[in-house]
Amino acid sequence: MSDPLLKVTGLQGWYGRIQALYGLDFEVPDKGVVTLLGANGAGKTTTLRALSGMIQTAGEISFAGQSIAGKVTEDIVRLGIAHVPEGRGTFTAMTVEENLQLGAMTRSDTRAIAEDIERAYAYFPRLAERRGQQAGTLSGGEQQMLAISRALMLRPRLMLLDEPSFGLAPLIVEELFAILVDLKEKEGLSMLVVEQNAALALEIADEAYLIETGRLVMSGPAQQIGSDENVRRAYLGY
Amino acid sequence: MDLFIHQVLAGLATGGIYACMALAIVMIYQAIHHLNFAQGEMAMFSTFIAWQLIEWGVPYWGAFFLTIVVSFIGGVVIERTVFKPLHNAPILAHIVAFIALFAIFNSVAGFIWDFTIKSFPTPFGQESLFGSGLMGAHDAGMIGVTLVLLVLLFLFFRNTRVGLSMRAAASNPDSARLVGVRVGWMIALGWGMAAAIGAVAGMMIAPVVFLEPNMMLAILIYGFAGAVVGGLTSPGGAVIGGFAVGIIENLAGTFIPVVGSELKLAIALALIVTVLMFKPTGLFGARIVTRV
Ligand SMILES: Nc1ncnc2c1ncn2[C@@H]1O[C@H](COP(=O)(O)OP(=O)(O)OP(=O)(O)O)[C@@H](O)[C@H]1O
Ligand SMILES: [Mg+2]
């Protein structure tokens, strides 16, 4: 088996003096989709923030064979890790198109950037109709589409998604996850997906990890986790 | 009626000064969300640099652009050395730093160039425009320079990648970092640009008020008034606000007998308070519509 794209060993994380992660070990295989499940406050968002260098961490994080622990966010992004943050991180006062251009801030291939913007519009026609509109006026679902499109503008190797289904109507969620499956299968994009909607996440993921108060308590192939008696009761509700 | 038009034009002329200063204030406010009390002193210091260069025999426009470059670098250096370390410090630390800068620039300028007033040349000439006696050539030139600055800033923020990055860094630093914007450097760039704009303001103002270390004291307050009236988030609004303050100040001084020239400053302050009471974001401040 080839080396994983992302390999995390003994990851700890702090908010100031408060410790939130207590030594996590996990991997994201190249072209694989991994989901991180857990209750509110378990440390899912914190884990993604740690990977993006947004909080103080200890432990080893290696991405594409290179250590990124302790690097600043701006440099981690340049290595090809795109982060769709909790709350979507929309630049509300800017237009949809400016949001997309910002996603490509680290690139200088102007023509390819223009092509990628059109490609994003092809994935999400609703954004195309609103390209000149102030992004803060988009609906929640549209802002989530914009956040994912913005992340794709980086041409990332790994995309971190923090609760992409949050606050969206079931129909929109389905549409969104169909596109994620597309990205995985057609473009070979690796993803680490944090979700409250465990059933949905387990459907698109290859591997799943369960996190409780900053510690991993279970891991395995998504199917196996999905059929586990305790997981079903705690997270899937059947 | 003639008197009215005359006072409006005169107000426009002084308003040009305030507009220029207000523009510099808004630049820093955008970057760090604080009002920089030392802005006027930075502009004054830049103007002294220009004066010194001209004394040494550098032609006016050479001194003008050299001063802009030096001020830009100075602004970046001040941010990197003084304000970057204070990034997460409470607001009081910022205020202390502003006051320290204020005092340092003021006294160092006095130490190097002493406190006697000096005349500063204008590139536009002193004669009155079209022989009408309504507005001097320098006043018109100053208004022109302010408007050119405004257009350049507008194009910069609208059409360049760096301009876009600076707006992103100012409005949502976390998200900006996540797309790779080097937020710290964007803030430093904002300081550099504000210092450069302040230098332009100083060099335009100095021929009118004469050059000396305290020349910017009152002007900074009028500049604040202009920036606040127009909206601290809007360069265009700040310029309009600056002109408005100049005109109101002149009209009130002329037509309301009790005001005279002594109470003009009070008018500016009253204007700040009034606008803040009714419209905290200023007349042209960003109204961001957000839906969650
Ligand atoms: N900025 C912060 N400062 C201090 N503590 C924080 C901060 N953000 C999160 N925490 C704490 O860290 C722990 C993990 O929070 P985190 O946001 O990672 O949870 P989560 O798994 O993403 O939850 P949710 O599903 O509600 O988004 C919680 O106990 C939370 O209170
Ligand atoms: Mg979370």
Side-chain angles (χ1 to χ4, degrees):
Chain A
M1 222 187 109
S2 64
D3 283 341
L5 181 61
L6 180 79
K7 186 172 166 59
V8 175
T9 329
L11 179 66
Q12 305 184 61
W14 288 267
Y15 289 104
R17 268 186 229 133
I18 306 164
Q19 184 160 12
L21 302 177
Y22 298 88
L24 310 186
D25 303 295
F26 63 92
E27 295 177 357
V28 178
D30 198 15
K31 302 191 195 325
V33 174
V34 170
T35 183
L36 197 58
L37 306 175
N40 289 122
K44 307 180 296 294
T45 297
T46 306
T47 305
L48 297 192
R49 288 200 180 128
L51 296 176
S52 284
M54 298 167 78
I55 60 167
Q56 204 192 324
T57 64
E60 189 36 46
I61 309 169
S62 107
F63 176 70
Q66 184 178 355
S67 170
I68 61 166
K71 278 199 194 316
V72 297
T73 308
E74 294 96 308
D75 290 330
I76 293 171
V77 171
R78 280 173 173 74
L79 294 173
I81 300 184
H83 187 150
V84 180
E86 191 172 59
R88 307 175 188 119
T90 310
F91 296 100
T92 51
M94 300 192 200
T95 65
V96 167
E97 185 127 345
E98 285 173 333
N99 269 268
L100 294 178
Q101 276 163 358
L102 277 167
M105 195 40 71
T106 57
R107 297 166 51 187
S108 49
D109 43 347
T110 321
R111 189 167 310 154
I113 291 173
E115 281 169 18
D116 284 0
I117 288 182
E118 291 312 317
R119 213 159 51 112
Y121 288 150
Y123 267 119
F124 300 105
R126 244 181 300 190
L127 294 182
E129 292 162 24
R130 291 164 175 75
R131 60 175 79 192
Q133 190 174 323
Q134 202 182 333
T137 65
L138 297 180
S139 77
E142 288 158 357
Q143 285 194 36
Q144 192 65 63
M145 294 171 193
L146 180 59
I148 291 172
S149 304
R150 194 180 63 224
L152 289 173
M153 290 303 296
L154 180 71
R155 291 203 173 169
R157 290 191 66 184
L158 173 66
M159 186 153 74
L160 312 177
L161 290 147
D162 199 337
E163 302 204 31
S165 78
F166 185 80
L168 306 187
L171 220 59
I172 308 274
V173 173
E174 250 171 61
E175 197 180 316
L176 207 62
F177 272 73
I179 287 169
L180 293 183
V181 170
D182 245 26
L183 288 171
K184 171 191 179 185
E185 286 170 359
K186 292 201 190 126
E187 320 224 348
L189 181 61
S190 310
M191 292 181 242
L192 178 57
V193 187
V194 160
E195 258 302 338
Q196 291 282 340
N197 189 334
L200 203 59
L202 288 169
E203 234 170 80
I204 72 161
D206 310 311
E207 304 276 328
Y209 291 84
L210 229 66
I211 182 168
E212 254 172 43
T213 54
R215 294 176 180 83
L216 291 176
V217 290
M218 193 187 284
S219 67
Q223 272 183 331
Q224 186 187 319
I225 298 278
S227 57
D228 182 275
E229 199 53 40
N230 294 321
V231 174
R232 289 170 81 118
R233 223 176 300 121
Y235 296 101
L236 299 173
Y238 54 83
Chain B
M1 196 59 203
D2 242 16
L3 182 64
F4 180 80
I5 292 175
H6 187 95
Q7 288 304 322
V8 168
L9 285 177
L12 219 51
T14 33
I17 302 180
Y18 308 151
C20 233
M21 213 49 223
L23 208 50
I25 289 164
V26 165
M27 281 301 307
I28 286 201
Y29 185 81
Q30 292 276 56
I32 61 173
H33 302 289
H34 291 309
L35 290 171
N36 178 6
F37 306 127
Q39 191 108 55
E41 303 312 285
M42 287 165 61
M44 172 275 295
F45 202 87
S46 296
T47 311
F48 264 112
I49 293 174
W51 179 84
Q52 187 66 70
L53 288 170
I54 292 169
E55 282 290 292
W56 283 337
V58 181
Y60 181 88
W61 290 110
F64 182 87
F65 288 109
L66 205 57
T67 300
I68 290 177
V69 172
V70 170
S71 303
F72 176 87
I73 295 170
V76 170
V77 169
I78 288 175
E79 196 281 334
R80 290 283 98 176
T81 54
V82 180
F83 288 93
K84 183 175 173 243
L86 291 181
H87 182 60
N88 287 319
I91 184 163
L92 209 55
H94 278 91
I95 292 176
V96 169
F98 286 139
I99 293 173
L101 271 187
F102 182 102
I104 289 170
F105 276 121
N106 191 280
S107 50
V108 170
F111 177 75
I112 302 179
W113 292 291
D114 71 59
F115 284 86
T116 57
I117 62 169
K118 296 173 175 58
S119 67
F120 191 88
T122 166
F124 306 112
Q126 287 296 7
E127 67 276 14
S128 124
L129 203 60
F130 316 124
S132 62
L134 287 183
M135 185 183 275
H138 177 75
D139 298 328
M142 178 164 66
I143 292 173
V145 166
T146 306
L147 295 181
V148 167
L149 264 184
L150 184 64
V151 169
L152 287 179
L153 279 180
F154 179 82
L155 294 176
F156 171 76
F157 282 118
R158 193 55 38 139
N159 296 328
T160 69
R161 284 162 67 90
V162 180
L164 190 61
S165 301
M166 283 180 73
R167 280 161 60 205
S171 66
N172 194 340
D174 280 341
S175 262
R177 282 194 191 91
L178 284 180
V179 294
V181 171
R182 299 200 186 276
V183 172
W185 279 106
M186 294 301 126
I187 294 172
L189 198 56
W191 271 82
M193 286 172 63
I197 294 168
V200 173
M203 289 185 282
M204 290 294 115
I205 293 164
V208 182
V209 301
F210 296 108
L211 179 59
E212 50 108 5
N214 295 322
M215 71 183 241
M216 296 303 271
L217 284 184
I219 290 169
L220 183 69
I221 294 181
Y222 287 112
F224 276 150
V228 170
V229 167
L232 282 165
T233 50
S234 155
V239 167
I240 294 174
F243 282 121
V245 170
I247 292 170
I248 292 170
E249 171 206 21
N250 258 285
L251 290 181
T254 312
F255 291 104
I256 307 176
V258 287
V259 171
S261 56
E262 293 81 17
L263 283 180
K264 278 181 169 180
L265 198 57
I267 299 246
L269 295 171
L271 202 60
I272 297 186
V273 174
T274 313
V275 169
L276 285 182
M277 259 160 50
F278 292 102
K279 207 154 175 311
T281 54
L283 298 179
F284 302 92
R287 256 191 325 268
I288 296 166
V289 194
T290 323
R291 237 156 80 178
V292 182

